[in-house]
Each structure stands twice: as C-alpha cells, then as structure tokens.
Amino acid sequence: MDLLQRVDRHFAASFEAKQRTLRAMGPQIVRAAELMAERLRRGNKILVCGNGGSAADAQHFAAELVNRFEIERPGLAAIALTTDSSALTSIANDYAFEQVFARQVTALGRSGDVLLAISTSGNSSNVMAAAAAARGLGLATVALTGRDGGRMAEKFIAEDIEIRAAAVATARIQEVHILVIHC
C-alpha cells in the first residue's frame, strides 16, 4: 500500500466513525450541550479531566470556553484539571495517581457544576474517581468514552450523559471526541 492509500484509509475511517457516532449519539450530544449551556447561564462552571490525548482535549475544551470559540462572547467558566503540575504531582505523591482529579473536584466543584470526564477506553481509574467525587457533590457528569464504554459505563446513573464514540481505535475515538467538543 502506498502512502496516499494509507492516508485515504485514515480519512475514510475517521469519517465513518463520526457518521456512526452521530447516528448513535446525536441526541446525547445535544443533551450534553444544553445541560452545559444551562449550567453556565446559572453561573456554574465546567471541570474537565482526562489522561494523555484526553488531557489535551480537556485543555482544548476549557480554553475554547474561557477565551472564545467562533464568536466574540464573554468568557465562560471552565477549568481543565490536567494543567496544575504542582497539584497533580502532590496529590499523586501524597495519595495516589487515581486521586489526581477527584481531589481537585472535591476542592473546586460545587453543586450545579458539570464534570466533563474524558476517557477513550472508559477505564481510566482517575477519571472514574473524579466522576464518583462529582456525583457525591451533586455535579452533573458528561463522559466522552469509546469502544464499549469500559468500566465507566457500568457506573453511570440516569442523570449522567455518556457520549460514546462509535470506534475502537484510539485515534478514531479521539477524533470523534474533538468533534464533539467543538459541537
């Protein structure tokens, strides 16, 4: 296979994953957007977490809200829990890596806020711990997952919103996640 064919296959797989996700998750995406918009209008904030590429997506999402996205507007309250290296390393050192987001959720989250929890596999223990902490404080949880939703999907309650990318490959899941974030 030549390089152009390989590139073409990546584009086709990305397009297919996005189309399948839209068909399966379109209403969930709208529900999550409406929830977040309503909570922001009420003066609440959105906390966002994830690992690796999902950490980058968390930061991207928070930046688009705090700054601007496509239109001039006032900044919106969002905090990426992935950015404070002192908090992350002290929590990991003093407690456990599994607590790096949960500890921040309990310190910064207030009832009515929203946690956007991003995990391509749905099995990230620190993201799952953050969702549990959010639930305990009365935060709404929106989760971006992939594959079969992982262990996170087993823990969701009726009020949680899961947006599961209809893909198995991590790259395709992350591509869907960033599109959902832009939606």
Side-chain angles (χ1 to χ4, degrees), residues 60-79:
H60 183 149
F61 180 73
E64 299 285 27
L65 291 182
V66 170
N67 185 24
R68 61 186 287 297
F69 179 69
E70 295 185 338
I71 60 170
E72 288 298 328
R73 57 155 169 75
L76 303 170
I79 302 169

Side-chain angles (χ1 to χ4, degrees), residues 48-62 80 82-83 97 101 116-121 124 126-127 144 170-179 181:
V48 197
C49 64
N51 297 293
S54 298
D57 289 345
Q59 291 169 220
H60 183 149
F61 180 73
T82 57
T83 61
F97 185 70
F101 301 134
L116 176 58
I118 309 172
S119 174
T120 58
S121 68
S124 302
N126 56 3
V127 176
L144 299 182
T170 299
R172 301 296 84 81
I173 295 166
Q174 290 174 333
E175 291 160 5
V176 169
H177 285 177
I178 199 65
L179 178 58
I181 284 168

Side-chain angles (χ1 to χ4, degrees), residues 17-56:
K18 290 169 182 167
Q19 289 288 76
R20 282 194 321 263
T21 303
L22 174 62
R23 286 191 296 274
M25 294 283 123
Q28 292 291 85
I29 296 167
V30 169
R31 189 171 151 225
E34 289 174 340
L35 169 75
M36 290 181 191
E38 185 265 329
R39 297 294 174 92
L40 289 167
R41 278 192 295 274
R42 286 188 356 200
N44 295 105
K45 66 185 162 300
I46 301 174
L47 304 175
V48 197
C49 64
N51 297 293
S54 298

